[in-house]
Amino acid sequence: MFNELIEKLKEFDTVGVYSHIRPDGDCIGAQVGLCLWLEKNGVQAHAFNDDEVPLNLNWITDYFPVHEPTPKLLNDCDAFVLVDGNTPSRFGSYADYIEDNPKPSYMIDHHPDPDGCFDISISVEEASSTCELVFHFFLQEDIGQIDEGVAKSLYTGIITDTGSLQYDSVTPETMTIASELLRRGDFKPNEVAERVFGNKQLKQLQLLGRALKTVKLFENNQIAIMCVTSEMLEKTNATNEDCEGFVAYPLSVAGIKAAVLFKDLGGGIKMSLRSKSDLDVNKWAREVGGGGHKKAAGAWHPGPLKKAIKDVIDIGAKQLVKVNES
Ligand code: 5GP
Ligand code: MN
């Protein structure tokens, strides 16, 4: 599966690697890991993202810089690889650029229902993370090329996409890869975990405190929700990035099947949906124009907050009926 793309990529002088908008640990880890692989194999790489890398992940870009795309850098690229998303619209300005400048484009991802527009797709829904897939580029070619930067980048994506190796997407294979990365990168799990999860600012905890008070249960205690209002963000001087990980709190309520975090970000309501049952939140999110995985998905609602909650709970309730019948 990886050979075809590996051979193709080696034919180019310069390849642009995009991570998805509003980047997370998996897309940044996979992007930096893949750029390092390209450069170690004779291909010049550029790493692009329209948005800024979150503060807790910025250290990864010391191993390979991630830039906002400029026309010059984009024109330098002979081809593109998109990581951790499976449709051009997840990659912001890439979608417009490629329409005007058709160039070979490849995709490496683990989300369901991939767009068929790519020249080669590595699309493995069962993979815990895109970083797990990028590991195979090294495994296939030269595992000795995994140095500290590669190992820490890929390890970051694995732990951020699996709730620190807790989700049901984790397989023995995931653990073997994580262990191999620790060995080859010569680091201990806490070194990365502390950087990624253990450097919160006081305002994040103050925002969490306010948000926790909004946790409510719906549909006979099957759905838990939590809200972050624009007022809370203003009062604590926090932003969307400061809500990272919040959805784990409503999801941790005993006995519920799914949780939704609603964030009123001014321009609309961003929702994070999570499931710990057979309820498929990818299907749920798709009904409101979003998407994701069965157990973790996201979407936007134009608002206001109350309407978003009502609309989204109504859809969830209908899907719960189907799940409970089956
Ligand atoms: P999060 O809730 O952490 O923002 O996102 C969870 C998952 O849902 C991610 O893996 C991401 O790929 C997907 N996701 C989040 N927001 C959106 C969105 O607006 N559209 C789509 N299609 N997927 C999203
Ligand atoms: Mn991912």
Side-chain angles (χ1 to χ4, degrees):
M1 171 170 47
F2 296 91
N3 265 341
E4 189 189 0
L5 183 54
I6 287 175
E7 292 314 317
K8 200 86 217 158
L9 289 175
K10 287 205 234 158
E11 288 173 12
F12 299 111
D13 290 330
T14 307
V15 169
V17 179
Y18 261 92
S19 51
H20 63 69
I21 50 170
R22 289 182 296 277
D24 60 16
D26 189 29
C27 74
I28 296 294
Q31 178 179 37
V32 167
L34 186 66
C35 287
L36 292 171
W37 180 85
L38 286 164
E39 298 235 320
K40 284 170 189 291
N41 290 284
V43 183
Q44 203 194 342
H46 291 307
F48 298 124
N49 198 300
D50 289 7
D51 294 328
E52 276 188 25
V53 177
L55 275 181
N56 65 327
L57 301 171
N58 219 355
W59 59 275
I60 300 176
T61 64
D62 290 345
Y63 296 114
F64 197 91
V66 178
H67 303 282
E68 220 180 294
T70 61
K72 183 188 174 312
L73 288 175
L74 290 170
N75 287 335
D76 266 0
C77 298
D78 307 312
F80 293 98
V81 184
L82 310 185
V83 298
D84 199 36
N86 61 20
T87 165
S89 62
R90 284 288 285 156
F91 298 88
S93 61
Y94 162 82
D96 293 331
Y97 179 81
I98 207 69
E99 224 177 84
D100 301 338
N101 306 271
K103 288 183 186 178
S105 289
Y106 310 103
M107 174 265 267
I108 308 170
D109 180 56
H110 66 136
H111 292 87
D113 307 317
D115 198 312
C117 66
F118 303 101
D119 295 285
I120 300 176
S121 297
I122 293 184
S123 174
V124 184
E125 200 184 327
E126 301 72 36
S128 72
S129 52
T130 301
C131 281
E132 193 175 316
L133 297 173
V134 171
F135 175 84
H136 285 269
F137 282 73
F138 291 90
L139 188 61
Q140 204 86 19
E141 280 288 285
D142 181 1
I143 198 159
Q145 288 180 345
I146 296 182
D147 57 16
E148 182 195 329
V150 172
K152 287 186 174 170
S153 302
L154 298 184
Y155 184 82
T156 298
I158 292 177
I159 61 166
T160 52
D161 253 30
T162 59
S164 298
L165 299 166
Q166 292 178 63
Y167 297 165
D168 79 346
S169 57
V170 173
T171 61
E173 163 94 1
T174 316
M175 289 297 200
T176 303
I177 292 173
S179 148
E180 196 62 34
L181 292 172
L182 290 169
R183 201 170 294 120
R184 295 201 174 257
D186 193 22
F187 65 99
K188 297 207 305 183
N190 68 311
E191 281 178 51
V192 169
E194 277 164 25
R195 282 182 144 164
V196 177
F197 304 120
N199 64 355
K200 298 217 184 331
Q201 293 171 277
L202 192 55
K203 65 179 179 182
Q204 290 175 278
L205 298 184
Q206 287 166 342
L207 179 64
L208 176 63
R210 284 172 158 86
L212 282 172
K213 290 187 190 142
T214 69
V215 173
K216 268 202 200 102
L217 303 183
F218 288 85
E219 296 305 312
N220 218 0
N221 302 340
Q222 295 180 92
I223 300 174
I225 71 158
M226 184 161 105
C227 300
V228 172
T229 64
S230 43
E231 197 191 5
M232 288 178 196
L233 290 169
E234 213 172 290
K235 283 235 165 81
T236 54
N237 193 26
T239 62
N240 181 28
E241 284 72 48
D242 297 315
C243 306
E244 189 61 42
F246 280 18
V247 69
Y249 292 92
L251 189 68
S252 68
V253 176
I256 62 140
K257 295 197 164 143
V260 188
L261 171 68
F262 293 88
K263 296 178 283 188
D264 187 347
L265 301 178
I269 314 294
K270 170 79 210 299
M271 292 157 305
S272 285
L273 300 93
R274 299 288 186 272
S275 169
K276 53 178 183 181
S277 67
D278 290 338
L279 184 63
D280 181 337
V281 288
N282 173 42
K283 276 193 196 152
W284 187 357
R286 275 174 185 253
E287 293 228 10
V288 270
H293 312 265
K294 281 183 188 158
K295 304 268 164 155
W300 286 84
H301 187 288
L305 182 59
K306 268 193 177 161
K307 174 139 176 47
I309 295 173
K310 185 178 179 319
D311 290 352
V312 169
I313 296 288
D314 282 352
I315 295 167
K318 281 188 199 129
Q319 299 194 343
L320 269 174
V321 172
K322 283 187 209 153
V323 170
N324 291 337
E325 277 170 2
S326 63

